[in-house]
Amino acid sequence: MRLNICLVNNNTMKLLKLCIIFIFSVQVAFSQNEKDKASLGVARNYLLQGNYQSCQNILFPTFLEIRKTQGENNADYQEALSLLADLVTKMGYYTLAERIALKELSQAIRIYGVNNFHTANAYIRLGDIARCKTDYFNASVRYEQAYDIAEALKDNELLIVDIQIHQGRLSTEKGEYTAAEALLRRAKTIYQKLELAPSDIRQIELNEAYSNLFFSLRNYTKAIQLLENNLFQLRNYYHASHPKITENHYLLAEIYLKIAGQNTILKEKGKAHIDSAKRQAYSTPELYLIQKKQEANIFKQQKDFAKADTIYRQLLENSIELTGEHSRLKMDFMLEEAQMYYLMGNMEECIALYEHIEDLQKEYLSITHPDYLRTQQDLSMIYWAIDNYKKSHRYFRLSAASLLDQFQRATSFMSEQEKALFYEKSRLFFDRFNAFILANYQQHAALSREMYDYQLQTKAMLFTSAVSLREKVFATQDSTLIRYYFRWLGGKEQLAKTYKLTNEGLDISSKMLDSLENTLNDLEKSIQLKITLTDNKQKISNEKITVSKLRQKLAPDEAAIEIIRVEGFNPKNGGQMTDTIYYVALILTTKMANPELILLKNGKQLENQYAKFYKNTLMFKLKDTLSYNRFW
């Protein structure tokens, strides 16, 4: 073998050594970059699985290594920032998360440009942080910026759905239920088209967003169904300590404790979900605060006010640190404490806290927000409890007008069943208002007019809801809507036959029944929404019916009579029903400025003893000489 030996001078040798060092360092750097990329991939998987502790253990050192070896102006650093912003947001440290997210947004724009998926996701993240801090204006702006980018991109369907779910959550929190329903329904339609698996985290988050909407609309059965399904999917497909498991437990506890009343079984279910959440291996600071709030609420129900008060005061301090001075979370804790003072009869502190809450809500929420409406309702009872007629009456009137407006806006997309559920809370308020009127009408004669007005308006509201869907559909003369209507009728017939087969002993899957019921419910809601939109286009009048307008319709020899059932109510110490039942006859003629109010104080006797006597005379064909005078 012949060797060719090349002699080189010293300068050439130095250059050769530098080249060897450079090549070796590039290989080492390349190897380190690949290692960093792999670490980011593992951290991302841990984040998706909800294993935040493992994600943190890998992500933090990887982030520091990338910044040290590669600097900041590269895709790896941007991805590490993105994961870090997501992790800190999900862990609930919003102030820190916002700083990281803003830096990540500027990095994404610098590296990828404005119209890019990375930039859109950065805006979504900032929107989420703003929403959690009750900065609804900036949250809306951030989501809109993300949506504008998404529209300009190809293959953007899933990104647009993601944004709409975030917007739907925001609309629910703002009390804009019609908008929330429309946004979430679009997302649901696309997920169904894509046949997204029930265990997909995106489907779980959509269910969660829907459950929040159903909770706000008092459709607790539907909210519970969605959250229980989420728990099943999360336990089977995700890390055992996934914070969403904790979150769903707390949401279920919130519902059960809210609807329990004196029902021991429902109370125990609520407590069981709190205990299940506490056993989870990991919980975010916000979920921990929610858990403590629910514990305090249980102490409040048990009238252990000292323990509840200690927790509420600590919650207020912690919520300021976590979400800021003016967050909805802080307002929620203040409201719970104020309600406790009302139960205790500590009216001075109760009123001071409620007035502070009202000021915050007026400044940071809209005056149509459901939280603000609830505060007005509570204040109407509280001022009644201390015999401040003027302020109590003012808040009753404000609440009544807001409730009627809310019902009209929120029920445009609902099925008849959902409207009935949503109305129930309004009905309870008007029962209290009527009890207030009975306590004060002798000193304030014009109250009978208000009672009559609100009775007419609530009746009109319910009558509009109960008018035959068929009549509404055919009145639109919309062939597509009419076709949907007949499809809905056919589905109802199919459901009735399916139930008949079930009753006859045929084993039919409950999932199939639920699916058919949900499909029909969605179709009915689509029809209702289309009818509402048609009414708005045609500018169909929603003019309120009042005593003045009704009086104009009466002939001189006619009287219009409304009969109203009123349950006795004592506003003291949190307010409670009494065992008294009244019937009120409101009589209006053309000559009356205010309707005449006739109070029948023997409501329980009318409903029990006298009603049974009347039924017996009918059943046994006995002569009845008493019922006419007792009732008519």
Side-chain angles (χ1 to χ4, degrees):
M1 180 180 292
R2 185 178 176 185
L3 295 175
N4 289 319
I5 299 173
C6 177
L7 299 175
V8 294
N9 60 30
N10 286 338
N11 288 336
T12 307
M13 183 60 74
K14 286 179 182 176
L15 183 61
L16 185 60
K17 284 181 180 178
L18 286 172
C19 287
I20 292 167
I21 292 168
F22 175 73
I23 291 166
F24 180 74
S25 66
V26 167
Q27 287 176 333
V28 171
F30 183 74
S31 173
Q32 183 61 48
N33 289 355
E34 288 301 307
K35 184 180 175 183
D36 290 339
K37 285 182 188 295
S39 296
L40 290 176
V42 173
R44 188 186 308 106
N45 286 332
Y46 278 134
L47 185 65
L48 289 171
Q49 276 291 319
N51 189 346
Y52 295 168
Q53 191 59 58
S54 296
C55 176
Q56 181 178 323
N57 292 342
I58 290 175
L59 181 57
F60 283 6
T62 304
F63 171 77
L64 294 172
E65 181 65 30
I66 291 170
R67 190 168 65 178
K68 177 183 173 183
T69 57
Q70 297 184 53
E72 296 188 356
N73 195 21
N74 60 81
D76 285 349
Y77 181 74
Q78 187 278 328
E79 185 180 356
L81 260 183
S82 170
L83 286 170
L84 190 60
D86 266 340
L87 175 64
V88 177
T89 301
K90 289 181 184 298
M91 289 169 69
Y93 299 104
Y94 300 120
T95 303
L96 175 60
E98 190 170 36
R99 290 208 306 269
I100 298 170
L102 284 167
K103 184 173 178 63
E104 192 269 328
L105 172 65
S106 65
Q107 285 286 103
I109 293 171
R110 184 186 307 129
I111 294 169
Y112 299 107
V114 173
N115 289 329
N116 185 275
F117 282 92
H118 295 281
T119 308
N121 282 317
Y123 279 122
I124 294 171
R125 188 181 301 108
L126 282 164
D128 287 345
I129 295 167
R131 177 174 59 81
C132 291
K133 294 173 73 174
T134 320
D135 184 358
Y136 292 151
F137 175 78
N138 276 316
S140 181
V141 169
R142 296 302 191 186
Y143 292 147
E144 285 169 13
Q145 287 171 312
Y147 194 88
D148 290 342
I149 293 169
E151 282 196 311
L153 299 174
K154 293 179 181 178
D155 302 321
N156 62 358
E157 196 167 42
L158 280 174
L159 178 60
I160 284 178
V161 170
D162 188 27
I163 296 165
Q164 288 176 335
I165 292 171
H166 290 269
Q167 289 175 319
R169 279 181 175 275
L170 177 64
S171 294
T172 298
E173 288 189 22
K174 290 168 69 177
E176 297 167 353
Y177 301 135
T178 306
E181 164 71 18
L183 288 160
L184 296 180
R185 192 188 306 181
R186 279 184 222 148
K188 181 181 176 182
T189 302
I190 292 173
Y191 280 174
Q192 286 174 338
K193 186 179 79 175
L194 296 172
E195 297 182 345
L196 211 63
S199 59
D200 192 301
I201 195 67
R202 290 169 294 193
Q203 183 62 56
I204 287 168
E205 287 181 346
L206 174 61
N207 286 349
E208 198 175 283
Y210 252 124
S211 70
N212 288 334
L213 176 61
F214 285 129
F215 178 75
S216 299
L217 297 174
R218 274 87 82 178
N219 191 344
Y220 301 124
T221 303
K222 192 70 178 173
I224 288 169
Q225 182 185 38
L226 288 169
L227 293 170
E228 293 285 10
N229 180 61
N230 270 6
L231 278 176
F232 175 80
Q233 301 297 339
L234 287 161
R235 285 172 179 147
N236 281 283
Y237 295 99
Y238 291 88
H239 191 269
S241 65
H242 200 303
K244 283 215 167 287
I245 296 176
T246 313
E247 193 173 329
N248 279 258
H249 275 306
Y250 285 140
L251 288 169
L252 282 162
E254 186 91 7
I255 296 170
Y256 281 122
L257 292 173
K258 186 177 183 68
I259 64 177
Q262 300 305 312
N263 188 316
T264 308
I265 295 171
L266 293 179
K267 281 182 184 176
E268 290 306 314
K269 281 188 175 182
K271 290 177 186 176
H273 278 292
I274 292 175
D275 291 340
S276 296
K278 286 161 70 175
R279 287 195 294 271
Q280 288 297 109
Y282 185 85
S283 181
T284 66
E286 187 170 339
L287 289 175
Y288 174 76
L289 295 184
I290 290 169
Q291 173 234 316
K292 297 304 291 182
K293 182 195 83 169
Q294 290 174 343
E295 285 182 9
N297 287 351
I298 291 169
F299 284 131
K300 183 166 66 177
Q301 286 178 353
Q302 295 169 344
K303 299 195 185 307
D304 192 341
F305 298 127
K307 285 182 181 176
D309 192 39
T310 301
I311 296 173
Y312 286 138
R313 289 178 184 275
Q314 190 61 52
L315 287 173
L316 285 174
E317 289 180 26
N318 292 341
S319 65
I320 293 168
E321 292 172 17
L322 186 66
T323 56
E325 186 70 40
H326 307 120
S327 71
R328 195 175 170 202
L329 189 67
K330 180 199 167 189
M331 290 183 225
D332 185 33
F333 296 152
M334 289 172 69
L335 192 61
E336 295 291 353
E337 188 172 30
Q339 288 170 345
M340 183 187 70
Y341 290 142
Y342 183 23
L343 281 169
M344 294 168 64
N346 185 348
M347 302 309 285
E348 188 176 340
E349 287 197 61
C350 172
I351 290 170
L353 199 47
Y354 261 110
E355 287 179 344
H356 182 43
I357 292 166
E358 185 187 23
D359 289 340
L360 286 173
Q361 288 174 338
K362 274 196 270 192
E363 188 171 355
Y364 295 99
L365 303 176
S366 72
I367 59 171
T368 60
H369 196 284
D371 286 0
Y372 182 58
L373 174 55
R374 280 191 289 272
T375 299
Q376 288 181 324
Q377 291 176 355
D378 288 350
L379 282 167
S380 66
M381 305 293 175
I382 290 161
Y383 282 118
W384 180 15
I386 63 169
D387 299 318
N388 188 330
Y389 168 80
K390 188 175 180 181
K391 283 193 173 182
S392 179
H393 184 218
R394 173 175 169 265
Y395 280 110
F396 266 119
R397 293 184 68 181
L398 286 170
S399 300
S402 297
L403 266 176
L404 291 168
D405 179 61
Q406 188 189 73
F407 187 89
Q408 190 172 18
R409 284 186 293 108
T411 56
S412 59
F413 60 86
M414 293 183 190
S415 65
E416 297 305 325
Q417 182 186 25
E418 289 171 333
K419 286 179 183 178
L421 289 168
F422 190 68
Y423 175 72
E424 184 61 22
K425 193 71 182 264
S426 304
R427 184 191 65 76
L428 289 173
F429 166 77
F430 282 108
D431 283 350
R432 308 286 188 273
F433 195 179
N434 288 335
F436 168 81
I437 288 172
L438 290 189
N440 292 280
Y441 80 97
Q442 289 179 327
Q443 292 80 32
H444 306 276
L447 284 174
S448 68
R449 182 190 182 101
E450 286 184 38
M451 191 183 220
Y452 207 128
D453 273 343
Y454 287 122
Q455 176 71 359
L456 290 173
Q457 285 162 37
T458 51
K459 275 179 72 173
M461 188 166 65
L462 293 172
F463 176 73
T464 302
S465 295
V467 167
S468 165
L469 188 60
R470 179 188 176 91
E471 290 176 26
K472 294 178 185 177
V473 168
F474 279 91
T476 66
Q477 299 181 345
D478 183 325
S479 59
T480 304
L481 189 59
I482 292 169
R483 190 167 65 251
Y484 281 158
Y485 171 73
F486 280 115
R487 188 191 300 172
W488 175 71
L489 277 184
K492 284 188 73 177
E493 188 176 339
Q494 182 187 347
L495 182 63
K497 287 177 181 175
T498 307
Y499 275 122
K500 187 169 183 286
L501 292 171
T502 306
N503 293 334
E504 289 172 358
L506 190 66
D507 186 22
I508 292 174
S509 162
S510 60
K511 280 188 178 179
M512 190 184 98
L513 285 170
D514 287 344
S515 175
L516 187 53
E517 282 184 342
N518 289 337
T519 301
L520 288 172
N521 198 56
D522 287 345
L523 188 54
E524 184 187 356
K525 286 159 74 171
S526 297
I527 293 167
Q528 292 281 13
L529 186 57
K530 181 77 173 173
I531 288 167
T532 302
L533 293 172
T534 304
D535 286 352
N536 288 340
K537 281 179 186 174
Q538 295 173 356
K539 296 183 179 177
I540 292 176
S541 173
N542 289 317
E543 199 175 2
K544 289 179 182 175
I545 302 168
T546 62
V547 164
S548 299
K549 287 171 186 168
L550 180 58
R551 191 193 295 110
Q552 292 170 11
K553 303 288 183 183
L554 294 174
D557 60 345
E558 289 180 332
I561 304 172
E562 287 291 332
I563 298 178
I564 304 171
R565 182 182 188 272
V566 182
E567 292 187 45
F569 185 78
N570 177 9
K572 308 283 185 184
N573 297 98
Q576 54 274 320
M577 307 298 296
T578 68
D579 63 352
T580 311
I581 294 170
Y582 304 106
Y583 277 85
V584 176
L586 293 170
I587 303 169
L588 179 68
T589 67
T590 55
K591 296 178 181 178
M592 293 177 178
N594 297 310
E596 183 179 355
L597 189 156
I598 296 173
L599 180 62
L600 308 177
K601 297 182 179 180
N602 61 337
K604 288 187 82 171
Q605 203 173 23
L606 288 167
E607 290 183 354
N608 296 297
Q609 179 187 340
Y610 291 174
K612 284 177 186 175
F613 175 82
Y614 174 64
K615 285 176 186 175
N616 285 336
T617 59
L618 289 176
M619 190 181 298
F620 299 109
K621 298 180 180 176
L622 302 173
K623 186 175 181 182
D624 184 355
T625 59
L626 300 174
S627 295
Y628 182 86
N629 288 328
R630 285 172 172 174
F631 287 100
W632 185 246

